[in-house]
Amino acid sequence: MYYNSNTEIYLDGKFVKANEATTDLYSQTLHYGYGVFEGIRAYATENGTHVFKSKEHYERLKNSAKLIDIPFDYDVDELVAVTQELLDRNNLSDAYIRPLVFCDPNMTLARPNNVSIMISAWEWGAYLGDKQLRIGTSSYCRPHPRSIKIEAKVCGHYVNSILATNEAKDNGYDEALLLDSDGYLAEGPGANLFFEKNGVLFTPQLGNILPGITRATVLELAKELSIEVNQGLYLPEELASADSAFYCGTAAEVIGIKSIDNMEFPKEWNETLGSKVQKAYSQLVRKSHKTLNTTH
Ligand code: PMP
């Protein structure tokens, strides 16, 4: 599904066959989840393949590494160029790109001296599908920002996301909604949350969530569309009385939420602010990159 015998990945400065690449089973990342990664999307545009907000993703990757003391001194522009080459080599245009920074063999709990980077890419449809989601509030909360670096995209943090996803699916929902440790709305296992009330959008403030690049894009689009957005601490009751809601993320893009804990939102999706943002997002990511480069 992710690769075949022709697929190439980028590994520490070289392009190698995915099925010939090897790694060390004593890696600190494999044992302790101590590594960082990204999820990026490329789109076919009139001017060829464009990697959406490539720079922003690699800047977040570098920042994630820095935040958790992983030494990673790659240049962002180099990573951007390597990614474009990776897509060309694999003949991919509409693709999902997964860079992973992983550590050397080290069974201690001290920071590593050396790390590796691998970048892979594959064709992947919308991660949460294109139907409106039925979500359920998770019994798991997002990790407390005093326990981890919540704004870093760290491998080990995703155990929390996997537990919440399993629980939601076992309970018959499409996806989970996690609160923060104080009981305020936080985010999905792999997406940020927005909801609409009386013609205004609301989204949880930064501090207890991953600062999503799609979330930032939605804020930009809302400004262009003259939609007011408030960022703050919101309780689950505020979501329960909302007119509509949506999730957004690189893999999921912008996807409507039908219900929370089996309570349906009253607005028809096509009439929501989320639907407007969804259309604008879809157009933006597929816009020719000549135009994009001047604005982003
Ligand atoms: N929250 C979490 C926990 C995520 O894993 C993701 C996906 N990276 C997001 C939000 C959305 O972030 P982005 O828009 O940068 O993909």
Side-chain angles (χ1 to χ4, degrees):
M1 180 186 171
Y2 300 105
Y3 63 93
N4 59 36
S5 54
N6 296 319
T7 307
E8 290 186 22
I9 63 167
Y10 176 82
L11 180 63
D12 290 334
K14 286 196 273 273
F15 289 95
V16 295
K17 283 269 168 71
N19 62 359
E20 288 167 10
T22 59
T23 186
D24 195 305
L25 292 176
Y26 293 76
S27 163
Q28 232 179 353
T29 309
L30 194 57
H31 289 252
Y32 307 129
Y34 186 54
V36 294
F37 70 102
E38 267 305 320
I40 313 175
R41 259 192 199 278
Y43 294 90
T45 76
E46 275 177 25
N47 293 85
T49 303
H50 179 65
V51 183
F52 187 63
K53 296 205 168 175
S54 196
K55 241 184 148 118
E56 284 87 337
H57 281 280
Y58 283 114
E59 271 157 11
R60 186 170 65 184
L61 183 72
K62 285 195 72 158
N63 192 44
S64 294
K66 192 167 163 217
L67 280 166
I68 67 164
D69 302 325
I70 288 180
F72 176 64
D73 52 14
Y74 264 78
D75 182 61
V76 166
D77 291 334
E78 192 182 332
L79 293 166
V80 166
V82 157
T83 301
Q84 201 71 42
E85 187 176 346
L86 179 75
L87 295 173
D88 293 345
R89 281 173 175 261
N90 287 292
N91 266 325
L92 288 166
S93 48
D94 280 301
Y96 185 78
I97 300 146
R98 166 54 54 79
L100 170 69
V101 175
F102 58 102
C103 299
D104 269 6
N106 177 4
M107 292 298 97
T108 78
L109 299 180
R111 60 159 70 85
N113 294 321
N114 281 308
V115 298
S116 291
I117 178 165
M118 79 88 131
I119 310 176
S120 53
W122 62 89
E123 249 181 67
W124 221 21
Y127 176 65
L128 297 171
D130 52 11
K131 283 211 311 263
Q132 281 181 264
L133 303 171
R134 297 172 55 257
I135 66 170
T137 308
S138 184
S139 67
Y140 297 99
C141 67
R142 288 296 284 156
H144 194 286
R146 287 215 313 273
S147 309
I148 55 148
K149 302 287 187 189
I150 192 77
E151 66 272 46
K153 200 164 164 61
V154 176
C155 300
H157 296 179
Y158 283 80
V159 175
N160 173 255
S161 296
I162 291 171
L163 289 173
T165 304
N166 291 345
E167 181 190 53
K169 294 201 188 278
D170 288 348
N171 289 336
Y173 296 113
D174 299 316
E175 186 60 306
L177 167 69
L178 293 104
L179 308 181
D180 68 21
S181 52
D182 293 322
Y184 293 104
L185 299 170
E187 60 189 327
N192 290 114
L193 173 75
F194 282 78
F195 61 94
E196 170 185 355
K197 180 83 183 174
N198 298 331
V200 175
L201 285 180
F202 297 85
T203 193
Q205 67 190 29
L206 300 183
N208 290 313
I209 57 171
L210 186 83
I213 289 166
T214 319
R215 178 184 180 278
T217 308
V218 168
L219 294 176
E220 288 165 18
L221 289 173
K223 204 166 178 190
E224 279 171 28
L225 295 166
S226 302
I227 298 171
E228 185 184 335
V229 189
N230 290 314
Q231 303 180 51
L233 291 171
Y234 303 111
L235 289 165
E237 294 80 72
E238 290 171 89
L239 177 63
S241 66
D243 300 325
S244 73
F246 63 90
Y247 269 158
C248 67
T250 301
E253 303 183 329
V254 174
I255 178 80
I257 299 175
K258 190 180 187 61
S259 62
I260 169 80
D261 299 330
N262 292 320
M263 283 182 300
E264 283 197 19
F265 292 106
K267 261 198 171 178
E268 278 294 316
W269 175 246
N270 289 337
E271 284 156 24
T272 64
L273 294 176
S275 160
K276 272 193 191 168
V277 170
Q278 186 182 46
K279 285 193 193 98
Y281 185 79
S282 176
Q283 280 169 12
L284 176 68
V285 294
R286 290 173 183 83
K287 221 155 106 177
S288 76
H289 43 109
K290 281 198 179 128
T291 323
L292 272 176
N293 280 343
T294 58
T295 51
H296 295 280

